[in-house]
Amino acid sequence: MKIALISDIHSNLPALKAVLDIIDVDQILCAGDIVGYYPFPNEVIELVKEHDLRSIYGNHDKAVITGDTSWFNPIAASAIEWTRDNISLEGIKFLEELPAQLMFEDVAIVHGSPHDPDEYVYPTTSPAKLEKFLDQVSKKVLVLGHTHVQWSLELGDRKIINPGAVGQPRDGNPKAAYAILDTKSKEFTMHRIGYDVEETASKTLEVGLPQHLARRLFFGL
Ligand code: ZN
């Protein structure tokens, strides 16, 4: 089976559309943060449902459900507040039903790390710790998100893949990020696709979300 791995959509509809338009796969899996930051939470959730996308929840999805922003910086917190004011009741219900993790035969999907959805895991994280994460899920492939940085690492015959962020890349490349995985061979490829950043940025300003959120999209930072 050919699957697309995505993460961190963050209510950026033009970015999600660009990814969905270009991929041709059997299934799409998302490592969380469907909403938060950008101005299209309801449209993004509709599209996620339409494409039968299977997702876990991320820390931003959780904050939108609970209203608890104590771990967020002021900009992220104000975007959570805005989302709570503008998301539909069905949208909230949809987020509430998302699982914390997804486990398949060979693939595990988590948001931050296997034991903490808020933990940032980078390729610079110690190999011993990365091995421990793989042991913990006991799968050949561990997929995570949260950092908005696209990276991957192979440890023996096991792999960790962060497909990067669809909606707010932070690795210096403003294009939407995703990965394609062949579940049989476990071969994967990383991809980027440009989208109409201006559309998201102008709507972000129009609805009164923080300027910084619009600006960073052009730089992928
Ligand atoms: Zn995120």
Side-chain angles (χ1 to χ4, degrees), residues 14-51:
L16 178 60
K17 272 186 179 164
V19 171
L20 294 176
D21 280 353
I22 196 136
I23 55 177
D24 179 18
V25 293
D26 304 302
Q27 172 83 66
I28 307 165
L29 302 177
C30 176
D33 278 358
I34 293 173
V35 298
Y37 290 137
Y38 295 106
F40 306 101
N42 298 314
E43 297 88 337
V44 160
I45 288 173
E46 274 316 302
L47 208 53
V48 160
K49 286 183 185 169
E50 213 175 278
H51 285 259

Side-chain angles (χ1 to χ4, degrees), residues 4 14 16 66 89 94 106 155 157 172:
L16 178 60
T66 63
L89 203 59
F94 176 80
D106 298 311
L155 289 158
D157 65 342

Side-chain angles (χ1 to χ4, degrees), residues 8 10 33 60 146 148:
D8 300 276
H10 286 292
D33 278 358
H60 287 252
H146 193 45
H148 298 205

